[in-house]
Amino acid sequence: MENANGIVPSVGGGPISDHAVPVAMKASVHAFDEAVQAVRAGEFDVDAASDQLISLLTEKELLGLLDGDSPRRLLPFIPALLGRRPFVAGAVSRLGIPGIRFSDGARGVVIGAATAFPVTMARAATWDPALEERVGAAIGAETRARGANYSASVCVNLLRHPAWGRAQECYGEDPVLVGQMGSALTRGVRVHTMACVKHFALNSMENERFEVDVAVDDHALHEVYLPHFKAVVDAGADSVMSAYNKVRGEYMDVNRALLTDVLRDEWGFTGFVTSDWVFGTHDAVGSLQAGMDIEMPLRMLRARALPAALRRGELDRATVVQAAHRILRTSVLHAATREKQEPKVTVIASAEHRALALQAAAESIVLLKNDAVGEAPLLPLAPGTRRLAVIGRLADEANLGDHGSSRVRPPSTVSPLQGLREAFPDAQITTDNGTNESAAAELAAQAETAVVVVGLDQHDEGESVVTGGVDVGVLGRAFNSGLSRRLFIGLAHLAARFVRGGDRSSLELRPSDASLIRAVTEANPRTVVVLVGGSAILTEEWRDRVPALVLAWYGGMEGGHALASMLTGDIEPGGRLPFVIPRDVAHLPPFDSAAKSVVYDDKWGQRHLDGQGIAPAFPLGFGLGYTTMTHKLLDHTFTESGGTARVLVTNTGDRDGSTVVQLYAADLSAGHPVAQLVGFQKVTVPRGESTTVQIGLDAGPTLQRDPSTRQWHPRAGDWALIVAQHSPSHWTGAVPLRTADG
């Protein structure tokens, strides 16, 4: 069946069979909806329905599926428009094809006002995939209510170094944790919208993200930096966004080895791939041939190059049809299987979603230190507290995270100061921004307890809005030189004056914050330090002075309420670190934010410290509670495909509480065993009681991939399993990791 333009629809690259399509569709504004209804009713196979739609397209419409619908002149206005409407690619109104209607959404919908959830890293600290799936469903519902059908909310890039400016957008440093949390968000988002996972692959630095070339061997690539992407693909991700950077010398949009050989051929991914925005497409034809289906978000390179390439025979029409098939197949299938009930606009920032944001924020907060002051630990604060000093430049700030593409604008926010005022309505609460240390110290001295809120904001870390060394020639010949080029770069640098972001220049606090902590703790030994930020902050210079230390992240619109609830003891501090905090930045791999080339190996974070035999300040998975728990491994089963473990958890304290049961494996024959997280589960246990939990085990960290066969096999060594409350510093009590034959 050939249409008027000579386009032969195909399934998997070949023509559809006559019996696959019992009734031919007709060109009308209802064609897409009819395809969806036919698939939902089981009348059409989704491949056949998609190819029927392709047969109705003109050549211009067909090529229009492969890039954004907006003209390139909107480029300077992207930041403003991103917060106002979806960006559309491939809409065909004549056939009712809605196109890919894009919204960002790592911490909530960026269009209009929306619920601002804690940043992704904070939600990783909950170690609770079930909660993350609920957050995903809420984000998906609000995305759909804003008119979008595609959410780029799932960021699973691995935190190789905490100086990465967009660390707050990911789930931390461990592949198993990242994979499980990203999969949970994907399942939730897909209830209402197509879920996109990003940035594929090895995107873990910001300032040179457009140009850096990442060298990586097969072991590190497939066994460290890709497993979590595969987990999300297996969880049903509809789309993958390719990264800006190069991998092994090739930009990701033209990296066929990853986009086709791995993603599609090895993993079986059937969805579509989009470019990262504007600078993510370097070759119109080459990117399509490599497996990148849609250039986002504007009509840039492909709109100019593809028609001519087809005419000259430089581009095979079958390649165009194949990409179109993937786009329409995914769109039709999702529309046929998503929740039928359209969310109303009233769902946005609804009471239910605010409550969910509060729960996520509360369960993310990590209590790092809680020493006794007198006869009892400083936290929780006594209910009868009468005089409280709340000090610091971030005390009365909402501080939701960076101001880049994932920025959310909620209708209201709660700062730490506001949260504490509401929690202690009868107390005298004084406040100072800390600019004058002497005044702040005097205020602290007059209070029963001082709370110092310091840390990072959008100026210290976040998405970089400066083009840096990017070749703006990707924008076309008009930008290669002259006034247009200078104007564009000038606009980028002007924007950077207001939103600096980018990679962090230091893992320390600002010197003024550290000095303020020292002044306040000297004036009042009952001082709680609350850290705000998106990844690790070093504390060695001042931690010994502080009895109580809390990591509160960028807690979202309800962050102040969550913090106050934790400080008062209304809720348990349930967060656990999704990364290691070292004692010295020298204990981590080197990080050069200006590097044009880097090497990624299997030594980073907690694993890097383990391999060197270096003790961290706070290990991966660490977090204190207001009660005490014991964990006992009862038994386990384990094969190359995974296994389960039963763990007895006992609350030995005097109040109800939660813990995250963590299971680690290691090769004990190594000089310094390197702990590999293989399973975890959050559990709540009433005081004085015990419960037995069964936890799934991920065999991935104990396997290795044969590059020649692409088959996975057990890694050699003397492997053992241990249950712990954080990454273990010793392996006393570990048991042999049994295999299928015992």
Side-chain angles (χ1 to χ4, degrees):
M1 181 173 56
E2 184 176 289
N3 73 4
N5 295 287
I7 299 171
V8 180
S10 64
V11 175
I16 59 174
S17 60
D18 293 337
H19 66 270
V21 184
V23 179
M25 294 179 187
K26 296 181 180 179
S28 77
V29 294
H30 304 296
F32 183 84
D33 286 342
E34 289 171 355
V36 170
Q37 292 168 9
V39 170
R40 184 180 293 143
E43 298 170 359
F44 270 20
D45 172 84
V46 66
D47 290 297
S50 303
D51 284 315
Q52 277 276 285
L53 286 173
I54 290 174
S55 73
L56 302 177
L57 295 171
T58 66
E59 181 171 295
K60 181 178 180 180
E61 290 168 341
L62 177 72
L63 293 177
L65 295 179
L66 309 184
D67 61 10
D69 292 354
S70 300
R72 64 198 298 265
R73 66 174 178 271
L74 292 184
L75 177 64
F77 309 103
I78 284 177
L81 294 174
L82 186 63
R84 294 177 179 272
R85 62 169 176 81
F87 268 84
V88 182
V92 183
S93 57
R94 183 177 67 88
L95 301 176
I97 297 174
I100 308 306
R101 309 182 68 82
F102 177 101
S103 172
D104 224 319
R107 52 188 141 131
V109 186
V110 302
I111 302 171
T115 305
F117 291 94
V119 294
T120 307
M121 187 68 83
R123 304 196 313 269
T126 69
W127 291 60
D128 190 344
L131 176 60
E132 183 68 351
E133 188 167 341
R134 291 171 57 203
V135 170
I139 290 174
E142 294 195 14
T143 299
R144 189 173 173 185
R146 285 296 186 200
N149 64 8
Y150 177 79
S151 176
S153 51
V154 189
C155 180
V156 295
N157 294 112
L158 200 70
L159 181 68
R160 179 167 172 82
H161 196 284
W164 178 32
R166 294 176 78 172
Q168 62 192 271
E169 293 188 47
C170 77
Y171 290 104
E173 70 174 49
D174 187 87
V176 170
L177 176 63
V178 172
Q180 288 202 31
M181 296 298 285
S183 296
L185 187 72
T186 298
R187 290 190 296 269
V189 166
R190 293 193 72 252
V191 172
H192 285 287
T193 65
M194 289 181 282
C196 171
V197 58
K198 60 186 183 185
H199 308 84
F200 189 72
L202 289 98
N203 180 321
S204 298
M205 57 186 295
E206 185 63 10
N207 292 6
E208 289 298 332
R209 59 179 169 158
F210 301 111
E211 293 296 307
V212 67
D213 185 7
V214 183
V216 61
D217 64 22
D218 277 349
H219 158 62
L221 176 64
H222 290 280
E223 297 166 29
V224 173
Y225 297 100
L226 294 186
H228 35 288
F229 276 99
K230 184 178 187 302
V232 174
V233 166
D234 290 344
D238 303 276
S239 175
V240 171
M241 179 186 289
S242 61
Y244 286 125
N245 53 277
K246 301 176 186 176
V247 175
R248 295 174 171 175
E250 287 190 306
Y251 285 110
M252 275 307 305
D253 66 302
V254 295
N255 200 310
R256 183 178 178 85
L258 286 173
L259 293 185
T260 295
D261 296 348
V262 172
L263 181 62
R264 292 198 168 93
D265 295 346
E266 187 169 343
W267 295 356
F269 177 64
T270 58
F272 59 89
V273 175
T274 69
S275 73
D276 206 338
W277 282 32
V278 181
F279 302 114
T281 304
H282 299 84
D283 185 315
V285 174
S287 62
L288 190 62
Q289 293 170 332
M292 199 272 285
D293 300 305
I294 305 177
E295 176 188 12
M296 288 294 288
L298 309 174
R299 294 177 57 77
M300 302 285 289
L301 300 187
R302 287 185 172 178
R304 298 192 305 274
L306 293 190
L310 273 174
R311 287 194 301 270
R312 293 193 297 263
E314 297 170 359
L315 175 63
D316 192 334
R317 187 177 298 277
T319 302
V320 174
V321 173
Q322 183 181 49
H325 176 83
R326 288 192 287 247
I327 296 163
L328 289 176
R329 181 189 188 281
T330 305
S331 301
V332 169
L333 182 61
H334 187 268
T337 56
R338 70 182 180 181
E339 172 64 43
K340 291 183 180 180
Q341 185 67 41
E342 290 278 347
K344 297 180 180 178
V345 176
T346 52
V347 75
I348 298 172
S350 61
E352 179 183 359
H353 286 184
R354 289 170 184 259
L356 183 59
L358 174 59
Q359 181 183 355
E363 294 194 22
S364 75
I365 296 172
V366 183
L367 179 59
L368 293 172
K369 188 178 181 183
N370 191 21
D371 291 348
V373 180
E375 297 182 354
L378 181 53
L379 295 177
L381 298 176
T385 298
R386 293 298 179 185
R387 298 188 312 280
L388 193 64
V390 184
I391 298 168
R393 61 186 178 82
L394 300 180
D396 200 22
E397 298 291 330
N399 206 14
L400 306 179
D402 84 333
H403 288 186
S405 60
S406 65
R407 184 182 184 182
V408 177
R409 298 166 178 81
S412 64
T413 59
V414 181
S415 70
L417 177 61
Q418 181 183 341
L420 285 167
R421 281 178 169 162
E422 293 180 20
F424 292 98
D426 298 325
Q428 177 187 357
I429 298 182
T430 54
T431 186
D432 189 281
N433 65 12
T435 303
N436 185 325
E437 285 184 14
S438 298
E442 183 177 347
L443 206 67
Q446 297 170 1
E448 295 173 43
T449 303
V451 178
V452 179
V453 186
V454 291
L456 312 177
D457 61 20
Q458 72 273 13
H459 297 294
D460 299 297
E461 61 178 352
E463 184 171 7
S464 174
V465 297
V466 181
T467 58
V470 69
D471 176 9
V472 295
V474 300
L475 302 178
R477 285 171 296 192
F479 284 84
N480 283 345
S481 62
L483 179 62
S484 295
R485 179 187 177 97
R486 293 195 299 272
L487 176 63
F488 182 79
I489 294 178
L491 286 171
H493 284 274
L494 177 64
R497 293 172 62 89
F498 301 96
V499 187
R500 288 194 292 271
D503 296 316
R504 289 165 62 184
S505 58
S506 171
L507 297 189
E508 308 276 355
L509 288 174
R510 295 183 185 182
S512 58
D513 284 349
S515 182
L516 177 65
I517 291 172
R518 289 191 288 267
V520 171
T521 53
E522 185 174 343
N524 189 335
R526 296 178 57 84
T527 295
V528 181
V529 172
V530 176
L531 297 179
V532 176
S535 67
I537 297 173
L538 300 189
T539 62
E540 296 307 298
E541 289 187 7
W542 46 265
R543 189 174 74 243
D544 288 346
R545 302 167 179 259
V546 175
L549 178 58
V550 175
L551 181 52
W553 313 103
Y554 300 115
M557 64 186 296
E558 293 290 336
H561 283 151
L563 177 63
S565 295
M566 175 264 167
L567 293 177
T568 60
D570 285 348
I571 60 100
E572 177 82 3
R576 301 295 184 267
L577 288 176
F579 47 70
V580 67
I581 300 180
R583 291 181 290 109
D584 191 314
V585 67
H587 296 165
L588 296 174
F591 182 85
D592 178 4
S593 63
K596 297 292 187 181
S597 61
V598 295
V599 176
Y600 281 7
D601 56 20
D602 62 352
K603 300 175 179 63
W604 82 102
Q606 181 71 57
R607 299 188 190 188
H608 184 76
L609 271 68
D610 283 354
Q612 301 295 315
I614 298 173
F618 302 103
L620 169 72
F622 181 84
L624 302 174
Y626 288 150
T627 187
T628 53
M629 299 275 187
T630 63
H631 299 167
K632 181 180 179 182
L633 179 61
L634 299 178
D635 54 49
H636 75 278
T637 61
F638 197 75
T639 69
E640 292 180 31
S641 60
T644 60
R646 288 195 313 134
V647 178
L648 178 67
V649 184
T650 302
N651 185 338
T652 58
D654 58 3
R655 58 175 284 164
D656 299 348
S658 66
T659 185
V660 177
V661 182
Q662 301 167 43
L663 289 140
Y664 293 87
D667 174 11
L668 299 189
S669 66
H672 295 290
V674 176
Q676 315 262 338
L677 181 70
V678 293
F680 64 91
Q681 185 170 317
K682 194 164 195 173
V683 59
T684 298
V685 185
R687 61 181 179 178
E689 295 189 15
S690 298
T691 186
T692 299
V693 294
Q694 184 162 297
I695 302 170
L697 300 179
D698 188 332
T702 70
L703 303 178
Q704 61 184 2
R705 177 181 177 272
D706 184 333
S708 61
T709 65
R710 299 183 176 183
Q711 298 300 308
W712 292 77
H713 306 286
R715 194 183 303 280
D718 181 16
W719 286 86
L721 181 70
I722 194 170
V723 62
Q725 299 191 37
H726 53 72
S727 187
S729 58
H730 61 81
W731 289 84
T732 304
V735 300
L737 189 60
R738 293 198 299 271
T739 57
D741 59 7

